[in-house]
Amino acid sequence: MRSLRWALIGLGVAGLVAGAIPLALAIATEEGHQRTLLAIFGPLTGWAFIGTGIFAWLRRPDNGVGPLMTALGFAECMAALRVSTEPWVFITGLVFITLQWALLYHLLLAFPNGRLGTRLEIGLVAVTYVSAAVAHPVQVLFQDTTRRGLPENPLLITGDPDVVSTLGRGRFWLGLALVAALGVLLLLRWRAASAPQRRVLAPVLVSGGLVMALLAAWYAAVLAYADESLVQTLEDARIVVLATVPFAFLAGLLRSRVAEATAISRLVARLGDPSERRHGLRDTLADSLGDPTLALAYWLPDRKEYVDAAGQRIELPEPGSGRVCSPVESGGRRIGAIIHNGHLANERELVRAVGAAAALTLENERLDAELRANMEELKSSRARIVESGDAARRRLERDLHDGAQQRLVSLALSLRLARARVEDGSEAARELDSARRELEQALEELLELARGLHPSVLSDRGLDAALEGLANRARLPVELVRTPGERLPERVESTAYFVVAEALTNVAKYADATHATVQVERVDGQVVVEVRDDGVGGAEPAKGSGLRGLVDRVAAMDGRLEVDSQPGRGTTVRAWIPCG
Amino acid sequence: MRVVVADDSVLLREGIVRLLEEAGFDVVAQAGDAEDLIRKVSAHKPDVAVVDIRMPPTNTDDGLQAALEIRRRVPGTGVLVLSQYVEEGYALGLVGDRPDGTGYLLKHRVAEVERFVEAVRRVGEGGSALDPEVISHLVGRARRGDPLAALTDREREVLALMAEGRSNQAIAEQLVVTERAVEKHVTSIFGKLDLPPAPEDHRRVLAVLRFLRA
């Protein structure tokens, strides 16, 4: 801080000298270029920019506006050197004449935080600098300045008016386009700004915008070969108005300090106000900082990742995306981050201050988010357990059909063949017949078991066919009112199937019904399963372990299940299963 | 009668082959997967193919798909499909709109040798054979607007046995009535189902289809 101060004092002295030189030259020169105007406004504007720039630099060392303003001041002083009749001094001033406009362009886009927000802005500023620092000096190499009654150009390669005119016109057209883009960007920023932000922006946009508008008008006048006096008037006006710009920037910066303090004190008051809590921290911060797109990220130290309020993992914005991320810490510990617009009129410092003020609330919300993230994890692990259970049952069913059943059937076949070789009525025949009957019984039981584990038809032919099978096997008439008619995700199909199977088993066991209907349809991203009977009612999921199991199973899929069963009015089991 | 047997379980396939050969069939080829089956049926043009539903390559219903393919590509070949479990959808899909030369039996029926052999023979001769368990499911299912509602219980029984593919004589034996009585029921069924006049064989097929689709 101390060394910065000394450096800035040194810079101030250099600035005084830089302004004094053109002033001295103007006094010493009788017939210099635009003598009176430059003699007064060149050094004046230069000093004003250097002075206010150094002041802003001192007050806000981390803000880029101060250095930019100082640089603009020096550029202005250099450009004022063109007042001289000495060829080398004159041409130095002429070369620098465009740099100040590029710097002003940069300043307007970077105000008030001193940084460019988006790639578009960076690109526009880069083009402006190239036009000022490359295209214009190249043009000077071909400019025979004596033609316009100016001092001689010692850099002259060849005095070709065509080259100068072509380069100049190209640069002016480009300048017009750049100023137009600037106008649009500033207008958009103005429209997006909150009232306090507008108070900060207003002086800068008015004076800076006016200068840029005068510059554009001057480009247009030159391009249109307008009257010489009009061109001259526009140029003079621009030089005069430019002198007000540094003060506008200073006013804006000071106002932004006030706006910050106001925003923070208002935020602190709101955070303490119970009636504000229902809005949530994000809304309060978005409002205080005037950035409706603001988002909060909560840090989960165990997982080393950021999540949103719902506990879902989120990625922080990349640099240059126009969004900026400011970390929030509490007691030296990272607790979260504020993701905000890069244009946020109140700069990073403010966001940091706001973050510090909101740290306690943020920590509370972080704990909530952590809880939600853990719940999400729990939910998906529950779903995974159900799915792996399903997969295991499918494997077991397949193994039974492909292994045990095949062997038992071929054993039965062997028994039959053996039986055919034995005389009827013998002891062996009786033994073989009894063994065969046992074996048939075993096969029946095996098939029942396999079907209970997992219905093959479900994997092979889908829910429609499997429901048809269920309806056909049921011990009472079952009407399939509606089925999906398409294949659904495997876990959805099996959950829906088990709901219908279990519900129909219950109907057959307890309902004393004459008729049941089954309806499965896909509505708004979920599958709705309904099994309805005309029985005695009075079923309670809490009592029957079958229904209880169904409730858990459906919940594991993030769905829900309801049983409506008033005594004497039948039972309706309804499940909603999410199905993306 | 010439037969091709397809099953990916070698043990069971050998058992079925032995059983059919003892019953006097000529087993001309054996296949272990669906493609092999189609190739061998196209080459040997057997009277009937006995096919396990679950076979490689996908081990789902490849056998059924192969059976449908055979019905399209080699008409006149009977296909008898063996299934590990009852699935009416499979049976109805196989039968399509012509039950002649099709059969669908539960796999463990092969151990009921006489019945199995009889079913193979019937399918090979262009008749049909549906597993009684499939039929009982179809009878058991209740739907609104059932066209079979007008039938008496006895007539349903007769129709179900017709659907299994039995002849009038076999039905008479099963129900312990005279063949004459069965004929009377059959005529009554044709009338109640409002079947158009046609040769007896064709009307039987229509009645069975009506029953299967009910």
Side-chain angles (χ1 to χ4, degrees), chain A residues 79 147 206 240 265 313 338 380 423 425 428:
Chain A
R147 279 176 198 230
V206 168
V240 174
S265 64
R313 197 187 128 88
I338 300 174
S380 56
E423 235 172 87

Side-chain angles (χ1 to χ4, degrees), chain A residues 181-463:
Chain A
L182 175 74
V184 172
L185 287 175
L186 293 182
L187 200 68
L188 288 177
R189 192 177 302 176
W190 178 260
R191 284 182 51 175
S194 63
Q197 287 172 332
R198 286 185 178 183
R199 278 171 43 76
V200 171
L201 286 175
V204 172
L205 292 195
V206 168
S207 66
L210 185 57
V211 171
M212 288 321 259
L214 284 168
L215 182 65
W218 182 77
Y219 286 154
V222 174
L223 286 171
Y225 303 104
D227 192 48
E228 189 68 30
S229 65
L230 173 65
V231 173
Q232 192 59 52
T233 310
L234 285 170
E235 192 174 352
D236 292 349
R238 194 180 72 216
I239 290 169
V240 174
V241 177
L242 183 63
T244 67
V245 173
F247 302 101
F249 272 103
L250 191 62
L253 273 187
L254 294 179
R255 278 189 181 181
S256 98
R257 244 320 190 222
V258 175
E260 272 179 28
T262 318
I264 294 173
S265 64
R266 197 160 351 115
L267 173 69
V268 171
R270 287 179 66 174
L271 289 175
D273 181 357
S275 67
E276 286 285 344
R277 290 220 180 106
R278 67 199 157 82
H279 291 307
L281 183 61
R282 194 215 76 88
D283 291 358
T284 309
L285 288 184
D287 207 33
S288 302
L289 290 174
D291 177 6
T293 65
L294 179 141
L296 292 178
Y298 307 93
W299 176 248
L300 301 191
D302 294 347
R303 301 194 201 175
K304 309 214 179 313
E305 62 186 24
Y306 282 102
V307 295
D308 62 12
Q312 300 285 348
R313 197 187 128 88
I314 51 174
E315 295 291 339
L316 297 183
E318 308 248 330
S321 63
R323 312 268 299 150
V324 177
C325 168
S326 305
V328 179
E329 298 190 341
S330 169
R333 225 157 29 84
R334 175 159 29 159
I335 55 173
I338 300 174
I339 300 167
H340 53 86
N341 196 322
H343 283 315
L344 204 54
N346 313 298
E347 50 211 87
R348 237 176 162 134
E349 240 177 79
L350 167 67
V351 178
R352 223 170 283 143
V354 162
L360 187 66
T361 319
L362 192 72
E363 171 70 2
N364 283 338
E365 292 203 351
R366 188 190 75 77
L367 290 172
D368 282 350
E370 191 166 42
L371 198 66
R372 277 191 206 105
N374 288 341
M375 260 169 60
E376 277 299 310
E377 180 52 39
L378 208 64
K379 251 200 281 194
S380 56
S381 80
R382 187 164 63 160
R384 279 199 300 276
I385 289 170
V386 168
E387 270 174 54
S388 79
D390 277 359
R393 292 162 74 124
R394 262 199 309 280
R395 263 200 315 279
L396 207 54
E397 176 265 347
R398 186 136 290 200
D399 290 349
L400 283 180
H401 273 146
D402 295 349
Q405 190 192 1
Q406 304 273 27
R407 283 180 183 280
L408 289 183
V409 169
S410 68
L411 177 60
L413 214 59
S414 304
L415 282 180
R416 288 304 295 228
L417 292 169
R419 174 65 181 82
R421 282 166 182 67
V422 173
E423 235 172 87
D424 284 352
S426 66
E427 181 72 14
R430 270 199 304 283
E431 292 281 341
L432 283 174
D433 284 340
S434 134
R436 199 195 72 222
R437 276 193 299 277
E438 282 294 315
L439 191 56
E440 272 168 17
Q441 190 63 36
L443 263 170
E444 292 288 343
E445 283 172 14
L446 182 79
L447 287 183
E448 257 328 291
L449 179 67
R451 181 153 58 214
L453 279 174
H454 176 85
S456 301
V457 60
L458 189 58
S459 346
D460 295 353
R461 292 169 56 101
L463 190 56

Side-chain angles (χ1 to χ4, degrees), chain A residues 397-398 401-402 405-407 409-410 412-413 416-417 421 436 440 443-444 447 451 456-457 460-461 465 468-469 471-473 477-480 515 517, chain B residues 7-9 11-12 15-16 18-19 22 52 54 58-61 64 84-90 107-108 110-114 137 141-144:
Chain A
E397 176 265 347
R398 186 136 290 200
H401 273 146
D402 295 349
Q405 190 192 1
Q406 304 273 27
R407 283 180 183 280
V409 169
S410 68
L413 214 59
R416 288 304 295 228
L417 292 169
R421 282 166 182 67
R436 199 195 72 222
E440 272 168 17
L443 263 170
E444 292 288 343
L447 287 183
R451 181 153 58 214
S456 301
V457 60
D460 295 353
R461 292 169 56 101
E468 189 116 334
N472 290 340
R473 271 194 304 278
V478 173
E479 186 188 354
L480 290 181
H515 180 83
T517 60
Chain B
D7 194 318
D8 58 322
S9 154
L11 196 68
L12 192 55
I16 293 173
R18 217 171 106 205
L19 177 145
E22 287 198 5
D52 180 21
R54 194 129 97 183
T58 71
N59 275 316
T60 56
D61 60 353
L64 182 70
Q84 276 88 342
Y85 52 91
V86 181
E87 177 44 47
E88 301 84 49
Y90 288 156
K107 195 151 195 184
H108 61 271
V110 299
E112 298 168 35
V113 177
E114 296 77 16
H137 279 174
R141 86 176 154 188
R143 289 185 182 235
R144 296 212 172 125

Side-chain angles (χ1 to χ4, degrees), chain B residues 150-212:
Chain B
L151 302 186
T152 65
D153 288 349
R154 193 52 146 187
E155 284 163 355
R156 275 166 196 265
E157 259 178 293
V158 171
L159 184 54
L161 288 168
M162 279 164 65
E164 280 182 35
R166 312 252 189 140
S167 64
N168 282 359
Q169 192 193 341
I171 295 172
E173 278 169 24
Q174 171 89 21
L175 298 178
V176 204
V177 294
T178 62
E179 212 178 321
R180 180 89 195 92
V182 173
E183 279 163 19
K184 255 176 63 191
H185 288 309
V186 171
T187 313
S188 165
I189 291 169
F190 290 166
K192 284 183 180 173
L193 293 183
D194 203 16
L195 296 176
E200 159 93 14
D201 278 2
H202 189 58
R203 291 184 107 195
R204 268 181 104 84
V205 170
L206 289 178
V208 168
L209 278 180
R210 194 67 66 90
F211 169 79
L212 294 177

